[in-house]
PDB file of all heavy atoms in Angstrom:
ATOM      1  N   LEU A   1     -27.378  87.818 -27.988  1.00  0.00           N
ATOM      2  CA  LEU A   1     -27.459  86.860 -29.092  1.00  0.00           C
ATOM      3  C   LEU A   1     -26.101  86.778 -29.794  1.00  0.00           C
ATOM      4  O   LEU A   1     -25.668  85.707 -30.224  1.00  0.00           O
ATOM      5  CB  LEU A   1     -28.558  87.242 -30.045  1.00  0.00           C
ATOM      6  CG  LEU A   1     -30.096  86.941 -29.612  1.00  0.00           C
ATOM      7  CD1 LEU A   1     -31.044  87.390 -30.676  1.00  0.00           C
ATOM      8  CD2 LEU A   1     -30.217  85.403 -29.268  1.00  0.00           C
ATOM      9  N   ALA A   2     -25.439  87.931 -29.992  1.00  0.00           N
ATOM     10  CA  ALA A   2     -24.130  87.974 -30.573  1.00  0.00           C
ATOM     11  C   ALA A   2     -23.129  87.238 -29.718  1.00  0.00           C
ATOM     12  O   ALA A   2     -22.263  86.478 -30.215  1.00  0.00           O
ATOM     13  CB  ALA A   2     -23.676  89.374 -30.766  1.00  0.00           C
ATOM     14  N   ILE A   3     -23.227  87.363 -28.419  1.00  0.00           N
ATOM     15  CA  ILE A   3     -22.354  86.659 -27.506  1.00  0.00           C
ATOM     16  C   ILE A   3     -22.643  85.100 -27.603  1.00  0.00           C
ATOM     17  O   ILE A   3     -21.606  84.359 -27.636  1.00  0.00           O
ATOM     18  CB  ILE A   3     -22.621  87.093 -26.091  1.00  0.00           C
ATOM     19  CG1 ILE A   3     -22.048  88.508 -25.888  1.00  0.00           C
ATOM     20  CG2 ILE A   3     -21.918  86.134 -25.011  1.00  0.00           C
ATOM     21  CD1 ILE A   3     -22.383  89.131 -24.515  1.00  0.00           C
ATOM     22  N   ALA A   4     -23.876  84.711 -27.689  1.00  0.00           N
ATOM     23  CA  ALA A   4     -24.199  83.264 -27.874  1.00  0.00           C
ATOM     24  C   ALA A   4     -23.531  82.760 -29.154  1.00  0.00           C
ATOM     25  O   ALA A   4     -23.003  81.647 -29.159  1.00  0.00           O
ATOM     26  CB  ALA A   4     -25.680  83.151 -27.916  1.00  0.00           C
ATOM     27  N   GLY A   5     -23.593  83.540 -30.259  1.00  0.00           N
ATOM     28  CA  GLY A   5     -23.034  83.115 -31.538  1.00  0.00           C
ATOM     29  C   GLY A   5     -21.508  82.895 -31.390  1.00  0.00           C
ATOM     30  O   GLY A   5     -20.898  81.909 -31.902  1.00  0.00           O
ATOM     31  N   VAL A   6     -20.854  83.800 -30.689  1.00  0.00           N
ATOM     32  CA  VAL A   6     -19.367  83.746 -30.526  1.00  0.00           C
ATOM     33  C   VAL A   6     -19.052  82.467 -29.700  1.00  0.00           C
ATOM     34  O   VAL A   6     -18.088  81.774 -30.029  1.00  0.00           O
ATOM     35  CB  VAL A   6     -18.880  85.001 -29.858  1.00  0.00           C
ATOM     36  CG1 VAL A   6     -17.384  84.796 -29.443  1.00  0.00           C
ATOM     37  CG2 VAL A   6     -18.954  86.163 -30.808  1.00  0.00           C
ATOM     38  N   LEU A   7     -19.806  82.272 -28.662  1.00  0.00           N
ATOM     39  CA  LEU A   7     -19.569  81.116 -27.702  1.00  0.00           C
ATOM     40  C   LEU A   7     -19.679  79.807 -28.543  1.00  0.00           C
ATOM     41  O   LEU A   7     -18.853  78.858 -28.359  1.00  0.00           O
ATOM     42  CB  LEU A   7     -20.521  81.141 -26.541  1.00  0.00           C
ATOM     43  CG  LEU A   7     -20.289  82.226 -25.542  1.00  0.00           C
ATOM     44  CD1 LEU A   7     -21.518  82.283 -24.526  1.00  0.00           C
ATOM     45  CD2 LEU A   7     -18.971  82.086 -24.790  1.00  0.00           C
ATOM     46  N   LEU A   8     -20.730  79.713 -29.372  1.00  0.00           N
ATOM     47  CA  LEU A   8     -20.855  78.508 -30.196  1.00  0.00           C
ATOM     48  C   LEU A   8     -19.845  78.356 -31.143  1.00  0.00           C
ATOM     49  O   LEU A   8     -19.357  77.180 -31.456  1.00  0.00           O
ATOM     50  CB  LEU A   8     -22.311  78.560 -30.861  1.00  0.00           C
ATOM     51  CG  LEU A   8     -23.486  78.448 -29.948  1.00  0.00           C
ATOM     52  CD1 LEU A   8     -24.839  78.742 -30.726  1.00  0.00           C
ATOM     53  CD2 LEU A   8     -23.567  77.090 -29.254  1.00  0.00           C
ATOM     54  N   LEU A   9     -19.313  79.412 -31.725  1.00  0.00           N
ATOM     55  CA  LEU A   9     -18.274  79.399 -32.695  1.00  0.00           C
ATOM     56  C   LEU A   9     -17.001  78.889 -32.037  1.00  0.00           C
ATOM     57  O   LEU A   9     -16.198  78.049 -32.641  1.00  0.00           O
ATOM     58  CB  LEU A   9     -18.086  80.706 -33.460  1.00  0.00           C
ATOM     59  CG  LEU A   9     -16.889  80.826 -34.457  1.00  0.00           C
ATOM     60  CD1 LEU A   9     -17.242  79.851 -35.626  1.00  0.00           C
ATOM     61  CD2 LEU A   9     -16.772  82.188 -34.964  1.00  0.00           C
ATOM     62  N   VAL A  10     -16.613  79.401 -30.915  1.00  0.00           N
ATOM     63  CA  VAL A  10     -15.532  78.995 -30.158  1.00  0.00           C
ATOM     64  C   VAL A  10     -15.567  77.514 -29.741  1.00  0.00           C
ATOM     65  O   VAL A  10     -14.588  76.781 -29.859  1.00  0.00           O
ATOM     66  CB  VAL A  10     -15.215  79.888 -28.930  1.00  0.00           C
ATOM     67  CG1 VAL A  10     -14.127  79.354 -28.105  1.00  0.00           C
ATOM     68  CG2 VAL A  10     -15.012  81.309 -29.331  1.00  0.00           C
ATOM     69  N   ALA A  11     -16.782  77.063 -29.314  1.00  0.00           N
ATOM     70  CA  ALA A  11     -16.957  75.705 -28.974  1.00  0.00           C
ATOM     71  C   ALA A  11     -16.678  74.751 -30.207  1.00  0.00           C
ATOM     72  O   ALA A  11     -16.014  73.675 -29.997  1.00  0.00           O
ATOM     73  CB  ALA A  11     -18.434  75.403 -28.493  1.00  0.00           C
ATOM     74  N   LEU A  12     -17.009  75.158 -31.339  1.00  0.00           N
ATOM     75  CA  LEU A  12     -16.826  74.375 -32.577  1.00  0.00           C
ATOM     76  C   LEU A  12     -15.320  74.324 -32.879  1.00  0.00           C
ATOM     77  O   LEU A  12     -14.821  73.288 -33.195  1.00  0.00           O
ATOM     78  CB  LEU A  12     -17.573  74.988 -33.783  1.00  0.00           C
ATOM     79  CG  LEU A  12     -17.343  74.308 -35.133  1.00  0.00           C
ATOM     80  CD1 LEU A  12     -17.820  72.866 -35.102  1.00  0.00           C
ATOM     81  CD2 LEU A  12     -18.041  75.074 -36.228  1.00  0.00           C
ATOM     82  N   THR A  13     -14.666  75.459 -32.723  1.00  0.00           N
ATOM     83  CA  THR A  13     -13.195  75.518 -32.815  1.00  0.00           C
ATOM     84  C   THR A  13     -12.533  74.526 -31.862  1.00  0.00           C
ATOM     85  O   THR A  13     -11.599  73.825 -32.351  1.00  0.00           O
ATOM     86  CB  THR A  13     -12.719  76.909 -32.622  1.00  0.00           C
ATOM     87  OG1 THR A  13     -13.409  77.861 -33.477  1.00  0.00           O
ATOM     88  CG2 THR A  13     -11.187  77.010 -32.983  1.00  0.00           C
ATOM     89  N   PHE A  14     -12.881  74.616 -30.653  1.00  0.00           N
ATOM     90  CA  PHE A  14     -12.270  73.678 -29.696  1.00  0.00           C
ATOM     91  C   PHE A  14     -12.559  72.145 -30.049  1.00  0.00           C
ATOM     92  O   PHE A  14     -11.718  71.298 -29.808  1.00  0.00           O
ATOM     93  CB  PHE A  14     -12.751  73.921 -28.236  1.00  0.00           C
ATOM     94  CG  PHE A  14     -11.924  74.947 -27.547  1.00  0.00           C
ATOM     95  CD1 PHE A  14     -12.242  76.278 -27.565  1.00  0.00           C
ATOM     96  CD2 PHE A  14     -10.799  74.519 -26.809  1.00  0.00           C
ATOM     97  CE1 PHE A  14     -11.452  77.223 -26.872  1.00  0.00           C
ATOM     98  CE2 PHE A  14     -10.046  75.404 -26.086  1.00  0.00           C
ATOM     99  CZ  PHE A  14     -10.354  76.774 -26.187  1.00  0.00           C
ATOM    100  N   ARG A  15     -13.707  71.959 -30.594  1.00  0.00           N
ATOM    101  CA  ARG A  15     -14.125  70.572 -30.944  1.00  0.00           C
ATOM    102  C   ARG A  15     -13.187  70.074 -32.079  1.00  0.00           C
ATOM    103  O   ARG A  15     -12.767  68.858 -32.164  1.00  0.00           O
ATOM    104  CB  ARG A  15     -15.493  70.510 -31.443  1.00  0.00           C
ATOM    105  CG  ARG A  15     -15.994  69.173 -31.919  1.00  0.00           C
ATOM    106  CD  ARG A  15     -15.975  68.164 -30.703  1.00  0.00           C
ATOM    107  NE  ARG A  15     -16.389  66.753 -31.236  1.00  0.00           N
ATOM    108  CZ  ARG A  15     -15.631  65.870 -31.762  1.00  0.00           C
ATOM    109  NH1 ARG A  15     -14.312  66.187 -31.922  1.00  0.00           N
ATOM    110  NH2 ARG A  15     -16.033  64.768 -32.124  1.00  0.00           N
ATOM    111  N   LEU A  16     -12.761  70.892 -32.991  1.00  0.00           N
ATOM    112  CA  LEU A  16     -11.959  70.540 -34.164  1.00  0.00           C
ATOM    113  C   LEU A  16     -10.444  70.437 -33.894  1.00  0.00           C
ATOM    114  O   LEU A  16      -9.725  69.825 -34.643  1.00  0.00           O
ATOM    115  CB  LEU A  16     -12.270  71.545 -35.291  1.00  0.00           C
ATOM    116  CG  LEU A  16     -13.662  71.530 -35.880  1.00  0.00           C
ATOM    117  CD1 LEU A  16     -13.896  72.635 -36.902  1.00  0.00           C
ATOM    118  CD2 LEU A  16     -14.102  70.215 -36.364  1.00  0.00           C
ATOM    119  N   VAL A  17     -10.074  71.233 -32.854  1.00  0.00           N
ATOM    120  CA  VAL A  17      -8.583  71.311 -32.592  1.00  0.00           C
ATOM    121  C   VAL A  17      -8.195  70.233 -31.667  1.00  0.00           C
ATOM    122  O   VAL A  17      -8.800  69.922 -30.586  1.00  0.00           O
ATOM    123  CB  VAL A  17      -8.276  72.679 -32.029  1.00  0.00           C
ATOM    124  CG1 VAL A  17      -6.811  72.747 -31.537  1.00  0.00           C
ATOM    125  CG2 VAL A  17      -8.403  73.758 -33.072  1.00  0.00           C
ATOM    126  N   HIS A  18      -6.981  69.569 -31.928  1.00  0.00           N
ATOM    127  CA  HIS A  18      -6.404  68.551 -31.012  1.00  0.00           C
ATOM    128  C   HIS A  18      -5.712  69.217 -29.862  1.00  0.00           C
ATOM    129  O   HIS A  18      -4.867  70.060 -30.059  1.00  0.00           O
ATOM    130  CB  HIS A  18      -5.451  67.673 -31.813  1.00  0.00           C
ATOM    131  CG  HIS A  18      -4.676  66.764 -30.933  1.00  0.00           C
ATOM    132  ND1 HIS A  18      -5.287  65.649 -30.377  1.00  0.00           N
ATOM    133  CD2 HIS A  18      -3.371  66.708 -30.580  1.00  0.00           C
ATOM    134  CE1 HIS A  18      -4.394  65.000 -29.661  1.00  0.00           C
ATOM    135  NE2 HIS A  18      -3.237  65.606 -29.770  1.00  0.00           N
ATOM    136  N   PHE A  19      -6.073  68.771 -28.653  1.00  0.00           N
ATOM    137  CA  PHE A  19      -5.469  69.252 -27.493  1.00  0.00           C
ATOM    138  C   PHE A  19      -4.246  68.367 -27.104  1.00  0.00           C
ATOM    139  O   PHE A  19      -4.364  67.150 -27.100  1.00  0.00           O
ATOM    140  CB  PHE A  19      -6.433  69.240 -26.245  1.00  0.00           C
ATOM    141  CG  PHE A  19      -7.008  70.649 -25.923  1.00  0.00           C
ATOM    142  CD1 PHE A  19      -7.335  71.485 -26.916  1.00  0.00           C
ATOM    143  CD2 PHE A  19      -7.106  70.995 -24.584  1.00  0.00           C
ATOM    144  CE1 PHE A  19      -7.846  72.731 -26.623  1.00  0.00           C
ATOM    145  CE2 PHE A  19      -7.667  72.216 -24.273  1.00  0.00           C
ATOM    146  CZ  PHE A  19      -7.984  73.087 -25.299  1.00  0.00           C
ATOM    147  N   PRO A  20      -3.092  68.994 -26.702  1.00  0.00           N
ATOM    148  CA  PRO A  20      -2.015  68.062 -26.177  1.00  0.00           C
ATOM    149  C   PRO A  20      -2.431  67.408 -24.905  1.00  0.00           C
ATOM    150  O   PRO A  20      -2.919  68.099 -23.998  1.00  0.00           O
ATOM    151  CB  PRO A  20      -0.803  69.027 -26.031  1.00  0.00           C
ATOM    152  CG  PRO A  20      -1.529  70.392 -25.907  1.00  0.00           C
ATOM    153  CD  PRO A  20      -2.718  70.396 -26.758  1.00  0.00           C
ATOM    154  N   PRO A  21      -2.182  66.194 -24.715  1.00  0.00           N
ATOM    155  CA  PRO A  21      -2.633  65.478 -23.462  1.00  0.00           C
ATOM    156  C   PRO A  21      -1.644  65.941 -22.312  1.00  0.00           C
ATOM    157  O   PRO A  21      -0.574  66.346 -22.511  1.00  0.00           O
ATOM    158  CB  PRO A  21      -2.372  64.039 -23.784  1.00  0.00           C
ATOM    159  CG  PRO A  21      -1.360  64.011 -24.822  1.00  0.00           C
ATOM    160  CD  PRO A  21      -1.521  65.175 -25.722  1.00  0.00           C
ATOM    161  N   VAL A  22      -2.200  65.908 -21.086  1.00  0.00           N
ATOM    162  CA  VAL A  22      -1.351  66.125 -19.908  1.00  0.00           C
ATOM    163  C   VAL A  22      -1.349  64.919 -19.009  1.00  0.00           C
ATOM    164  O   VAL A  22      -2.267  64.132 -19.017  1.00  0.00           O
ATOM    165  CB  VAL A  22      -1.889  67.381 -19.182  1.00  0.00           C
ATOM    166  CG1 VAL A  22      -1.744  68.635 -19.951  1.00  0.00           C
ATOM    167  CG2 VAL A  22      -3.303  67.158 -18.700  1.00  0.00           C
ATOM    168  N   GLN A  23      -0.284  64.739 -18.351  1.00  0.00           N
ATOM    169  CA  GLN A  23      -0.123  63.572 -17.482  1.00  0.00           C
ATOM    170  C   GLN A  23      -1.159  63.625 -16.353  1.00  0.00           C
ATOM    171  O   GLN A  23      -1.472  64.713 -15.844  1.00  0.00           O
ATOM    172  CB  GLN A  23       1.300  63.595 -16.842  1.00  0.00           C
ATOM    173  CG  GLN A  23       2.435  63.310 -17.869  1.00  0.00           C
ATOM    174  CD  GLN A  23       3.720  63.463 -17.231  1.00  0.00           C
ATOM    175  OE1 GLN A  23       3.889  63.696 -16.063  1.00  0.00           O
ATOM    176  NE2 GLN A  23       4.694  63.250 -18.035  1.00  0.00           N
ATOM    177  N   GLU A  24      -1.731  62.579 -16.001  1.00  0.00           N
ATOM    178  CA  GLU A  24      -2.757  62.390 -14.943  1.00  0.00           C
ATOM    179  C   GLU A  24      -4.052  63.122 -15.245  1.00  0.00           C
ATOM    180  O   GLU A  24      -4.804  63.487 -14.343  1.00  0.00           O
ATOM    181  CB  GLU A  24      -2.209  62.861 -13.584  1.00  0.00           C
ATOM    182  CG  GLU A  24      -0.962  62.082 -13.132  1.00  0.00           C
ATOM    183  CD  GLU A  24      -0.435  62.598 -11.769  1.00  0.00           C
ATOM    184  OE1 GLU A  24      -0.968  63.609 -11.280  1.00  0.00           O
ATOM    185  OE2 GLU A  24       0.554  61.982 -11.265  1.00  0.00           O
ATOM    186  N   GLU A  25      -4.252  63.538 -16.549  1.00  0.00           N
ATOM    187  CA  GLU A  25      -5.490  64.282 -16.841  1.00  0.00           C
ATOM    188  C   GLU A  25      -6.699  63.338 -16.630  1.00  0.00           C
ATOM    189  O   GLU A  25      -7.782  63.762 -16.124  1.00  0.00           O
ATOM    190  CB  GLU A  25      -5.477  64.789 -18.251  1.00  0.00           C
ATOM    191  CG  GLU A  25      -6.692  65.600 -18.596  1.00  0.00           C
ATOM    192  CD  GLU A  25      -6.645  66.186 -19.972  1.00  0.00           C
ATOM    193  OE1 GLU A  25      -5.671  65.841 -20.756  1.00  0.00           O
ATOM    194  OE2 GLU A  25      -7.517  67.003 -20.250  1.00  0.00           O
ATOM    195  N   HIS A  26      -6.661  62.130 -16.928  1.00  0.00           N
ATOM    196  CA  HIS A  26      -7.740  61.160 -16.735  1.00  0.00           C
ATOM    197  C   HIS A  26      -7.505  60.434 -15.449  1.00  0.00           C
ATOM    198  O   HIS A  26      -6.452  60.460 -14.838  1.00  0.00           O
ATOM    199  CB  HIS A  26      -7.779  60.128 -17.910  1.00  0.00           C
ATOM    200  CG  HIS A  26      -7.922  60.791 -19.277  1.00  0.00           C
ATOM    201  ND1 HIS A  26      -9.141  61.310 -19.706  1.00  0.00           N
ATOM    202  CD2 HIS A  26      -7.046  61.114 -20.253  1.00  0.00           C
ATOM    203  CE1 HIS A  26      -9.018  61.856 -20.900  1.00  0.00           C
ATOM    204  NE2 HIS A  26      -7.742  61.765 -21.226  1.00  0.00           N
ATOM    205  N   GLY A  27      -8.574  59.741 -15.035  1.00  0.00           N
ATOM    206  CA  GLY A  27      -8.362  58.960 -13.758  1.00  0.00           C
ATOM    207  C   GLY A  27      -9.688  58.726 -13.128  1.00  0.00           C
ATOM    208  O   GLY A  27      -9.712  58.578 -11.899  1.00  0.00           O
ATOM    209  N   GLY A  28     -10.805  58.609 -13.902  1.00  0.00           N
ATOM    210  CA  GLY A  28     -12.079  58.260 -13.276  1.00  0.00           C
ATOM    211  C   GLY A  28     -12.695  59.339 -12.350  1.00  0.00           C
ATOM    212  O   GLY A  28     -12.592  60.527 -12.759  1.00  0.00           O
TER     213      GLY A  28
END
């Protein structure tokens, strides 16, 4: 349960932080 809490907290952090784009990252 503690691991689950940490995973959810990290997911929220990633949601809030802007990722620098990389070339060719998108493409269908």
Side-chain angles (χ1 to χ4, degrees):
L1 286 179
I3 289 172
V6 171
L7 292 170
L8 292 172
L9 180 61
V10 174
L12 178 61
T13 304
F14 269 93
R15 177 66 182 84
L16 297 176
V17 171
H18 171 70
F19 257 41
V22 294
Q23 294 173 1
E24 299 180 357
E25 184 176 7
H26 301 281

